[in-house]
Amino acid sequence: MKLTTQLIYDRLRALYDVEYICSHDKNTVVTRPVFYDGGCTPGHICILPQDSVPEDLLPGAYIMTGVQSTAVTVPDAELMIIHNHISPGRMLNELQEIFDYYDAWEEALDRLIIENAGYPAIIQSSAQYLGCPMSLVDAGFSVIAIASPDADTFKDADNKVSDFIISAYITDPHFNRGLQKNGVFEFRSSEDQFLSYNIQKDGRNLGRVTLVYDEKLSKLSYTYLLGFLVSKIDIMLKISGSFLVSNESLSSLREIFAGLLAGAPIEIPYVSFKLREIGWSDENEYLLIRLQPEFRHEWQLHAPYLIPHLERLWPGACAVEQDDFVVVLLNLDVYRAHSRKNLQQEIAYFLRDGLLQAGLSRTFRGLKQLPSYYRQTELAVALGRETDPMYWCYRFDDYALLCLLKYGTINFTPEQICSPALLTLSDYDRENGTEYYKTLRTFFNNKYSYTHAAESLFIHRTTLLKRIERIVDLTGVDLDDPDVNLYIELSFRYLDKLINPSAQNYMKPEQ
C-alpha cells in the first residue's frame, strides 16, 4: 500500500523528534523506502546520508537522521529530519514496519472482499487498524456496519441511527453542507471530531463512511486513509450492487428457486427439507412476482441491488434473477406473520418509487408447479400492457379470462387457469361437507334461473337464494358481471371434460 509523506511523518513523530520541511504544500504519495544513491528513485521515499543534505537534491520525498541544524532548504522537495541519533539502517527498518502495518490492513481488506465477508467485517478490520471508531450508514440513515464502544446507543432496534443522534446531525450546518459534497467532509458533535466520506454512484449519494479522529494522526492522514478505505468499499459495491447483503440463510432456497424457474427437475424430498430448514413448508401459501422496468428500452433494473433490498423489505421473500428480470417468491404466511402492512399497497408503493412494473401470479401451495406460475407472471404483464398500458401492477387473475380466450388451457393445470372461485368452493365443500360447487354448476346449467335450478337440486327456491348469497360471500364473484360469468362457464366446461363434475377434489393442488 502506498502512503503519503504526511502519514509517514505522523507515525514517526509519535516516536522521534521530527522536523518536516517543505517549500510548499505537498503531500506526496510514496511507496517503500530506498537509500539515496545520488539521485531520487521516483515514487519512493529516499533515506539520505547522515552528514548533510545534497545541494543538487531532485524533487521528491526524503528522510535523514541525526541532523541538529534546521537551516536546511529543499526546493521542490519534502524532507523529514529525525533529530534523534539513529542510523539510516534503523530508519529503514522503522519505515518498513510502517509500510508493513498498512500493507497488512490492505491484505485483510482484500481477503474480506474475496471471501465476500460483508461490510461489517470491512469496517471492523479498518477500525482495528486505524485505531478509531467507524461506521457505514446508507443514505436513509440505516446502519450498515459500526465498530464503536457506543454501537448500542448509536442505532435503534430497527437498525437506524438513533433519533437523538440524527437530530444532532441534521441541526448541524457543517453536516448538512457536507452531505452535498463529493468526497470528504468534517463536522463535530459534542467533544468528538468526525470525518465522513460520501459514497456516490451515478451522481447519487448511497451513504457515507465516518470515523472519529483525534490527534494521533493529522486530518490529512485520516482523510487519505478514509479515501483508501472507500476505494475498497467501492469494490464491494460493484460486487453486491448496494450496501444491502443478501440473506445467506436463503442461499439454498435461492439455488432451488432459480433451478425450478430454469426448468430443472424437482426433487420433492430435498425441496421440502430445505423449506423446513428456514421455517417454511409445502403447505404455506406462495405468490410469484416478476419485476421489470416500466419502459423495457430504458433498462435500469439492477438485480444485485434489488434482490437483497426486496428480501429485507418484505418478510418471507426470496428473490433471484431470471431472464433479465428479478423474480420474487413470497411466502404469504411468513409475510402475514411478520408484517401488518397491506401487501398490495406495499407492492404499489415499491413499483411507483422504482419506476417498475410487475406481473403477479395467483397464489399457490408447494413449489412443484412453479414454472407454470412463472408463466402466469409473464402473461399477466403481456396481456395487461395490451389492455391497461397505464398500470404498473398486473395480477394474473385480472387477465385470466383473456388468457383463457387467447391461449386456451395449454401448459396450465385446472387450478392454474380456471376461475379461482371454483377452487374456493371445491376446497370449502371438501372441508365442510357442503355442495356449493354443485349448486353453482346447476345454477349455470339452468341459465341463472333460480326456480329451475332449485327444482334440479330438489331444494326450495329460498334455500337456493341463500346458497347463492353464501357463494358470493365465499368467492367475492359478481354474478351480474358478464365477463365473470363467462369465465366461470368456460372453467366449468373445461373441468367437465377432465373429470366428473360431481367430484369434490378435482381442484386440489398437487404438492
Side-chain angles (χ1 to χ4, degrees), residues 329-373:
L329 174 66
L330 187 61
N331 187 319
L332 294 173
D333 292 318
V334 173
Y335 180 86
R336 293 165 186 147
H338 292 85
S339 177
R340 295 183 179 179
K341 296 178 180 178
N342 180 288
L343 177 61
Q344 294 298 326
Q345 241 178 27
E346 287 295 293
I347 293 174
Y349 293 152
F350 178 79
L351 297 177
R352 179 197 64 192
D353 293 342
L355 296 179
L356 299 170
Q357 290 185 336
L360 276 61
S361 74
R362 64 176 44 167
T363 61
F364 56 95
R365 300 186 187 276
L367 305 185
K368 186 176 181 180
Q369 302 294 333
L370 202 65
S372 293
Y373 290 105

Side-chain angles (χ1 to χ4, degrees), residues 111-131:
R111 183 175 66 255
L112 293 172
I113 291 170
I114 291 171
E115 295 172 355
N116 198 23
Y119 299 105
I122 287 177
I123 294 299
Q124 288 287 346
S125 176
S126 300
Q128 178 183 349
Y129 275 94
L130 272 57

Side-chain angles (χ1 to χ4, degrees), residues 123-124 126-136 145-151 154 192-196 209-214 216 222 226 229:
I123 294 299
Q124 288 287 346
S126 300
Q128 178 183 349
Y129 275 94
L130 272 57
C132 57
M134 305 184 71
S135 66
L136 176 61
I146 184 168
S148 169
D150 301 322
F154 184 76
D192 293 323
Q193 300 181 91
F194 297 88
L195 278 181
S196 271
V209 58
T210 303
L211 59 80
V212 183
Y213 75 94
D214 52 26
K216 286 186 295 188
Y222 280 119
L226 193 56
L229 171 58

Side-chain angles (χ1 to χ4, degrees), residues 317-424:
C318 174
V320 297
E321 186 175 9
Q322 172 72 19
D323 301 329
D324 292 328
F325 302 100
V326 167
V327 187
V328 183
L329 174 66
L330 187 61
N331 187 319
L332 294 173
D333 292 318
V334 173
Y335 180 86
R336 293 165 186 147
H338 292 85
S339 177
R340 295 183 179 179
K341 296 178 180 178
N342 180 288
L343 177 61
Q344 294 298 326
Q345 241 178 27
E346 287 295 293
I347 293 174
Y349 293 152
F350 178 79
L351 297 177
R352 179 197 64 192
D353 293 342
L355 296 179
L356 299 170
Q357 290 185 336
L360 276 61
S361 74
R362 64 176 44 167
T363 61
F364 56 95
R365 300 186 187 276
L367 305 185
K368 186 176 181 180
Q369 302 294 333
L370 202 65
S372 293
Y373 290 105
Y374 179 58
R375 176 67 173 152
Q376 287 185 355
T377 66
E378 294 178 310
L379 291 172
V381 175
L383 296 171
R385 292 177 77 166
E386 289 179 10
T387 57
D388 302 299
M390 301 305 293
Y391 287 10
W392 287 8
C393 185
Y394 301 104
R395 297 169 61 251
F396 176 77
D397 280 338
D398 294 334
Y399 304 99
L401 172 59
L402 182 58
C403 179
L404 188 59
L405 294 173
K406 191 167 185 177
Y407 300 108
T409 60
I410 188 168
N411 296 327
F412 288 117
T413 59
E415 69 271 12
Q416 292 166 356
I417 194 62
C418 292
S419 169
L422 303 188
L423 173 62
T424 300

Side-chain angles (χ1 to χ4, degrees), residues 3-20 30 33 45-47 61-65 79-84 86-88 90-99 102 215-218 221:
L3 306 179
T4 64
T5 49
Q6 180 68 50
L7 177 55
I8 294 171
Y9 167 73
D10 287 342
R11 290 296 303 265
L12 290 176
R13 67 182 170 87
L15 304 172
Y16 305 109
D17 178 12
V18 187
E19 185 176 0
Y20 190 6
V30 295
I45 183 167
C46 295
I47 301 175
Y62 301 90
I63 190 166
M64 64 187 304
T65 65
L79 174 62
M80 278 174 264
I81 299 176
I82 309 296
H83 294 304
N84 307 74
I86 61 173
S87 68
R90 179 177 169 185
M91 191 71 261
L92 177 70
N93 292 334
E94 294 280 8
L95 290 173
Q96 294 284 25
E97 288 180 6
I98 294 173
F99 277 92
Y102 290 106
E215 300 302 321
K216 286 186 295 188
L217 299 175
S218 66
S221 292

Side-chain angles (χ1 to χ4, degrees), residues 430-447:
R430 185 170 57 252
E431 294 169 4
N432 297 277
T434 52
E435 292 186 330
Y436 289 132
Y437 175 84
K438 179 180 178 183
T439 298
L440 187 63
R441 185 71 185 99
T442 304
F443 182 62
F444 271 70
N445 282 345
N446 285 274
K447 301 179 180 178

